[in-house]
Amino acid sequence: MSRRALRRLRGEQRGQEEPGLGELGLDPGPERGPEGLPPPVAAGRGQRGSARSGVSNRFELITAEESEDEPLSREERVDARLSEQDAAGGNNEGAVTEETEGNVQGDGEEAEQPDQTPVLSNKPRKKKKKRKTKKTSAGETLEDNDLEDIDSLLEKIEDTNGLSQQTQSGIIAGSRPLLYVEHRNLNAENELKRYFGARTVLGELRPRQRQRQYVRSMWLTAPKNTWPRYSKTGITMQLVDTRRGVQYFTFEHHREYQQVQFKFLDAVESMDPNNIVLLLQMNPYHVDSLLQLSDVCRMQEDQEMARDLIERALYSLECAFHPVFSLTSGTCRLDYRRPENRAFFLALFKHLMFLEKRGCPRTALEFCKLILSLDPENDPLCVLLLIDFLSLRAREYTFLTRMFQEWESHRNLSQLPNFAFSVPLAYFFLSQQEERSELELSQARERAARLIQLALIMFPSVLMPLLDHCSVQPDARVASHSFFGLNAQISQPPALNQLTSLYVGRTHSLWKDPAVMAWLETNVHEVLRMVDARDPLVEESEHKRKMRYQSAPRNIYRHIILSEMKEATAALPLEVTSQPVMGFDPLPPLDSIVSYTRPERTNHPSNESTLSLFFRSLLPNFNLQGDIRHDGDEEAGAGQDLNQGVNRLMAAMRDMLANIQFQEPPRDDNPEGDGDWD
């Protein structure tokens, strides 16, 4: 009978049989157990080592039950020696050494082996793995199943050491740079999973991922099956300079991409979106075309297609990243004055706006931090006007207060209405968290009251529009007082009017909470008391409003245009609204650094005759006035010969047209005349 048939008769699977000593090159023992199985052997390091010394192919033993016998660590060796000494001394307190063949107790008695009983059925018997018990520092016994749950293990260890998970995360977050970006927070799916669960978010995504033909790991976006296959577009990123640990990069356009860029500019000047669509069919990853067409789709209320085009633009730019360009370090810079870099800023900003509308404020906040880290000094898109709103929406109150504390000294954030009102609101929300200590809660309440009073004194024109958007009617004292009246809105400079309109239109929904309104009402009455008492702070703030905010910088106008807030857009000056604004480059900087220029198009004279324009449509190089482009001696001579030939042709055609006589058609005299039409 073959060995396989014998194994099936015993009901064993392959690898479960005990290796014979003859097969291993050793002399078999004279004694055999029941059913031909070897008797149980007392577990010992020397016997196990001698049994394996003659193995020619050690991999034959991997599937056997002895596979769990691995070389013991130093601590396990010490435990084994101590248990042997306790067994020899008659100590029966449970010093047990566990082996694969059997368990030897302290008194030398052999443990039972249930696997020795033969199984008479044809079904393969299941191996019962023995659970190893490990002890933690707290003395609690954990099994292997419990060890798989890392989170619960960490919580138990932290509890024993007297450290909470919240404290450790706070220490880690406080040690990181302010604009540190986490990769996991750049993925909107992670935020949606926290809200709706992974099964809901990934329910329809997993079958599509199985059919994906190409997968490339990206941080900003994930490629979709509906996108065209990516190929190199002609965009690269170069490292320009490194100063004081900060790296300066720039995107570059190769000659092929420049030619596509020129065609795109021609398509924009044609004012026909179909030309941009045709250009994208030939160049599906041209970034500026994707940005411009996304605005067209958004105006046509096709939000899904508009968002998809922005993600494709981000994917194209991310594929061109420099190997050392980091999204998370906060030390990589891009100069907005270079036209090649502007597409990355604009794509990030528009993607951020889509994320906020989609209900992912935490992911949008991370993208906002990324944009700010690319150029924190100049802030070309002025995301400082937006980051406070996203922090409040994402409930990242600690980040907002930390940013205000660190940047107030050199950036004067309190002079922006959005920070002046959002920071005390963040402190108020922190004072409502019950898990904090009473000291922290009292400090947060004091800071919130002090900062909101300063904000109301500095920007009194915010209160009435804010209450109007929240559908709240102020009491008689507030409504009749001149400090918060209509005069406060009319007398403020235009630039300040744009900032306040932008803040009220964007963040009024955060103030609708009844608790927030009650807190605001208390501080408004306190401010009115200070105004009536002739507090010098009120007059000082009025003087600051008149001296500052005379004209807004260009980046604020650019931010208002991209945000598309109706309240703020209506307050833009005429010099901004009168000039054309393109979605792929709104309000370009006046000091742009141009690396390549568009070839000049020939400007033809406008006082040409109709016949001359007709011949120019047939012959683009035709010039009746004799203006020849001197690109060289040969080209000039060829152009002159062509011009003379065309002039002779024109003279012959004039003679022909002069000799043409038109005959009048014959008239049928009708005595009755032509009557009027019925």
Side-chain angles (χ1 to χ4, degrees):
M1 182 178 297
S2 64
R3 186 178 302 172
R4 181 181 302 175
L6 181 61
R7 189 167 55 248
R8 288 181 178 178
L9 181 61
R10 293 178 179 176
E12 298 177 349
Q13 291 183 350
R14 185 176 182 180
Q16 289 183 344
E17 69 276 4
E18 298 296 334
L21 297 180
E23 298 176 359
L24 299 180
L26 300 176
D27 295 335
E31 297 183 358
R32 304 292 292 180
E35 298 295 331
L37 294 177
V41 182
R45 294 175 56 205
Q47 295 179 1
R48 184 171 61 249
S50 61
R52 290 191 178 184
S53 60
V55 178
S56 60
N57 186 4
R58 297 181 181 271
F59 296 99
E60 292 180 357
L61 302 179
I62 289 180
T63 56
E65 291 183 359
E66 293 182 0
S67 61
E68 295 180 2
D69 290 347
E70 299 176 356
L72 298 178
S73 61
R74 184 176 181 180
E75 291 79 9
E76 293 177 349
R77 294 173 188 171
V78 175
D79 294 340
R81 291 176 182 176
L82 292 176
S83 61
E84 291 176 359
Q85 294 176 2
D86 293 339
N91 189 3
N92 295 328
E93 293 182 359
V96 181
T97 58
E98 193 175 298
E99 297 295 335
T100 57
E101 294 294 332
N103 297 335
V104 179
Q105 299 178 355
D107 54 358
E109 183 180 352
E110 295 180 356
E112 296 181 2
Q113 296 186 3
D115 292 339
Q116 297 290 340
T117 315
V119 180
L120 300 179
S121 61
N122 294 328
K123 297 181 180 180
R125 61 181 181 181
K126 299 180 180 179
K127 295 191 299 180
K128 295 183 179 179
K129 295 185 178 181
K130 301 169 184 176
R131 295 180 178 178
K132 296 182 179 181
T133 58
K134 298 182 180 181
K135 293 186 178 180
T136 60
S137 59
E140 297 178 1
T141 305
L142 300 177
E143 297 181 352
D144 289 344
N145 294 336
D146 297 329
L147 291 175
E148 295 177 0
D149 191 358
I150 302 177
D151 295 335
S152 61
L153 179 61
L154 291 176
E155 290 178 359
K156 293 180 179 180
I157 295 176
E158 290 169 356
D159 291 339
T160 57
N161 295 334
L163 297 176
S164 63
Q165 186 176 2
Q166 183 178 1
T167 306
Q168 287 188 351
S169 62
I171 295 174
I172 295 175
S175 61
R176 291 174 177 173
L178 180 64
L179 299 180
Y180 179 82
V181 178
E182 296 185 11
H183 280 146
R184 62 177 182 178
N185 291 330
L186 292 174
N187 190 355
E189 292 181 359
N190 295 334
E191 186 172 3
L192 293 175
K193 289 176 187 177
R194 292 196 294 267
Y195 296 153
F196 307 105
R199 185 180 300 273
T200 304
V201 176
L202 301 179
E204 299 180 356
L205 187 61
R206 291 171 180 172
R208 296 178 184 176
Q209 287 181 346
R210 294 192 191 102
Q211 299 175 1
R212 186 185 303 279
Q213 298 179 357
Y214 62 99
V215 176
R216 184 172 180 178
S217 178
M218 291 294 171
W219 294 115
L220 299 179
T221 56
K224 300 179 181 179
N225 295 330
T226 57
W227 292 357
R229 182 173 294 276
Y230 177 81
S231 59
K232 291 185 178 180
T233 59
I235 302 179
T236 58
M237 179 183 281
Q238 300 296 332
L239 177 61
V240 179
D241 193 9
T242 301
R243 298 192 301 268
R244 298 179 180 179
V246 178
Q247 299 171 328
Y248 295 85
F249 296 86
T250 182
F251 285 97
E252 291 184 353
H253 294 171
H254 293 175
R255 179 173 294 274
E256 296 80 5
Y257 194 89
Q258 294 179 11
Q259 299 299 325
V260 179
Q261 187 74 10
F262 298 151
K263 295 179 182 178
F264 164 72
L265 296 177
D266 295 338
V268 170
E269 291 180 356
S270 67
M271 304 300 293
D272 187 1
N274 294 324
N275 294 333
I276 302 179
V277 175
L278 294 176
L279 181 63
L280 278 177
Q281 290 179 356
M282 300 298 297
N283 306 275
Y285 287 95
H286 183 255
V287 180
D288 287 346
S289 299
L290 293 170
L291 296 178
Q292 188 69 27
L293 191 60
S294 175
D295 290 344
V296 175
C297 295
R298 187 168 43 81
M299 294 177 183
Q300 296 177 354
E301 297 183 355
D302 191 355
Q303 301 293 332
E304 187 66 24
M305 177 58 68
R307 182 167 60 89
D308 187 79
L309 293 173
I310 294 298
E311 291 180 358
R312 199 197 301 183
L314 281 177
Y315 177 75
S316 177
L317 291 169
E318 189 175 1
C319 291
F321 279 177
H322 194 273
V324 298
F325 182 81
S326 174
L327 295 172
T328 61
S329 63
T331 59
C332 297
R333 303 287 185 264
L334 287 175
D335 193 351
Y336 192 81
R337 295 177 299 173
R338 296 181 179 270
E340 297 87 350
N341 298 336
R342 296 173 196 165
F344 188 53
F345 283 89
L346 296 172
L348 289 174
F349 189 89
K350 294 182 178 183
H351 184 59
L352 176 155
M353 299 302 294
F354 281 116
L355 288 172
E356 194 273 329
K357 294 177 181 178
R358 193 182 175 186
C360 302
R362 184 65 184 88
T363 309
L365 174 62
E366 212 69 14
F367 273 90
C368 190
K369 292 162 58 178
L370 174 59
I371 297 175
L372 187 58
S373 67
L374 295 177
D375 195 354
E377 297 298 329
N378 300 316
D379 192 11
L381 300 185
C382 204
V383 293
L384 282 177
L385 300 178
L386 177 64
I387 195 169
D388 61 304
F389 169 68
L390 297 176
S391 300
L392 294 175
R393 281 283 312 274
R395 299 182 180 179
E396 293 290 331
Y397 310 127
T398 305
F399 167 77
L400 182 58
T401 55
R402 179 190 173 190
M403 184 176 189
F404 181 76
Q405 294 172 1
E406 294 184 6
W407 284 26
E408 169 63 18
S409 59
H410 65 282
R411 299 296 290 269
N412 293 326
L413 297 181
S414 60
Q415 302 305 309
L416 295 175
N418 59 312
F419 271 93
F421 282 87
S422 294
V423 172
L425 185 60
Y427 276 116
F428 173 76
F429 287 138
L430 287 175
S431 66
Q432 304 297 313
Q433 297 179 354
E434 299 178 354
E435 62 271 11
R436 295 181 176 271
S437 63
E438 186 61 31
L439 178 61
E440 294 177 348
L441 295 179
S442 62
Q443 292 178 353
R445 284 192 294 266
E446 293 176 359
R447 293 177 182 175
R450 178 171 52 86
L451 292 177
I452 192 61
Q453 293 173 13
L454 293 176
L456 290 170
I457 294 175
M458 185 66 192
F459 307 105
S461 61
V462 175
L463 180 63
M464 288 303 178
L466 182 61
L467 297 179
D468 188 20
H469 279 75
C470 296
S471 302
V472 175
Q473 185 68 26
D475 56 11
R477 183 189 177 192
V478 177
S480 61
H481 204 284
S482 60
F483 186 74
F484 293 113
L486 185 61
N487 187 28
Q489 304 179 28
I490 298 176
S491 61
Q492 67 180 359
L496 182 57
N497 187 25
Q498 297 160 11
L499 295 176
T500 56
S501 301
L502 181 66
Y503 177 74
V504 172
R506 174 176 285 160
T507 61
H508 63 88
S509 60
L510 301 174
W511 294 82
K512 291 183 178 181
D513 189 3
V516 175
M517 277 297 166
W519 166 72
L520 179 62
E521 181 182 6
T522 303
N523 291 279
V524 166
H525 286 287
E526 181 63 24
V527 169
L528 290 180
R529 187 193 63 79
M530 297 173 62
V531 172
D532 295 337
R534 303 283 183 169
D535 194 304
L537 183 60
V538 178
E539 185 178 356
E540 181 183 353
S541 300
E542 183 179 1
H543 179 69
K544 289 181 180 179
R545 285 196 303 271
K546 292 180 179 180
M547 296 298 296
R548 303 172 181 175
Y549 313 106
Q550 295 299 323
S551 61
R554 199 172 180 84
N555 60 343
I556 292 183
Y557 293 149
R558 194 179 296 120
H559 177 87
I560 294 175
I561 292 174
L562 292 174
S563 301
E564 296 182 351
M565 300 295 300
K566 296 180 181 180
E567 297 83 358
T569 305
L572 288 175
L574 184 61
E575 61 268 14
V576 176
T577 57
S578 59
Q579 56 180 319
V581 178
M582 297 299 175
F584 68 95
D585 191 8
L587 296 181
L590 300 178
D591 55 347
S592 299
I593 302 175
V594 181
S595 57
Y596 65 94
T597 57
R598 183 184 179 188
E600 296 182 359
R601 308 180 71 180
T602 56
N603 296 324
H604 305 302
S606 59
N607 55 351
E608 297 182 5
S609 62
T610 305
L611 189 61
S612 177
L613 293 176
F614 170 71
F615 275 99
R616 187 179 298 281
S617 64
L618 298 178
L619 301 172
N621 295 327
F622 171 73
N623 191 354
L624 183 62
Q625 283 75 12
D627 296 334
I628 303 174
R629 296 173 58 187
H630 298 282
D631 295 337
D633 295 338
E634 297 181 358
E635 295 182 0
Q640 187 175 3
D641 294 341
L642 178 61
N643 197 11
Q644 292 177 358
V646 174
N647 288 335
R648 288 193 296 268
L649 177 62
M650 289 293 298
M653 291 190 65
R654 280 196 296 266
D655 295 340
M656 181 182 65
L657 294 176
N659 296 328
I660 293 178
Q661 296 180 359
F662 295 95
Q663 296 182 358
E664 295 182 358
R667 290 180 59 184
D668 294 338
D669 295 334
N670 188 0
E672 298 180 357
D674 296 335
D676 295 337
W677 289 355
D678 294 334

